[in-house]
Amino acid sequence: MTGSPAKTISEQVLDLITTTLDQEKAEDIVQISLRGRSEMADHMVIATGRSQRHVSALADHLLRKLKEGGRKNIRTEGQNTGDWVLVDAGDVVVHIFREEVRAFYSIEKMWATEAEAQAYKPDPARPAGLTA
């Protein structure tokens, strides 16, 4: 009997993360494979929240789902400010940004292949970049 190979633990965590972010209305979700390019993780996920409150809520819901899924030792940075939250789930690193902060740092350009970067197409009707 043939079938698709079983998903690795990091792929299962990646699926949980992207599904949760999508269900919680995160915008512009991008997955970047880090395999063979970095030892820090297998995958990176980048998403946008509509406001500081939404960014913090996305991170909070994601942490709850990861813990319910059996992940332990999850580390976070920036959840109190809500501009940019980093969630380190071991094999998968998640960056959740406010739109302006994401546009300013543009980390897709540092890590993504050309095809992965093409998946992120910010809405041209919304202003990008940090303002004073």
Side-chain angles (χ1 to χ4, degrees), residues 107-129:
I107 64 173
E108 288 91 347
K109 289 182 182 178
M110 287 187 280
W111 288 101
T113 64
E114 189 171 327
E116 291 166 332
Q118 290 299 315
Y120 171 55
K121 296 183 183 187
D123 183 348
R126 294 184 296 197

Side-chain angles (χ1 to χ4, degrees), residues 12-111:
Q12 292 172 19
V13 172
L14 178 64
D15 286 349
L16 175 65
I17 289 168
T18 56
T19 299
T20 300
L21 290 172
D22 186 54
Q23 289 173 344
E24 298 299 328
K25 309 292 188 234
E27 299 173 352
D28 302 321
I29 301 167
V30 175
Q31 300 175 35
I32 299 172
S33 174
L34 299 178
R35 286 193 175 131
R37 294 193 280 165
S38 175
E39 293 183 19
M40 72 176 178
D42 291 338
H43 305 279
M44 180 184 296
V45 175
I46 304 167
T48 302
R50 295 180 304 275
S51 65
Q52 289 176 320
R53 189 173 184 164
H54 188 221
V55 168
S56 293
L58 287 167
D60 185 56
H61 293 191
L62 182 58
L63 288 169
R64 188 168 13 97
K65 287 289 190 177
L66 287 165
K67 288 177 184 176
E68 288 172 4
R71 299 300 291 184
K72 294 178 175 27
N73 301 323
I74 302 165
R75 293 172 285 175
T76 63
E77 296 277 337
Q79 193 168 0
N80 293 334
T81 61
D83 285 327
W84 174 1
V85 179
L86 170 71
V87 178
D88 182 351
D91 298 334
V92 184
V93 174
V94 182
H95 297 273
I96 307 170
F97 291 97
R98 273 190 318 105
E99 182 176 6
E100 297 83 7
V101 178
R102 182 174 180 174
F104 180 80
Y105 285 103
S106 215
I107 64 173
E108 288 91 347
K109 289 182 182 178
M110 287 187 280
W111 288 101

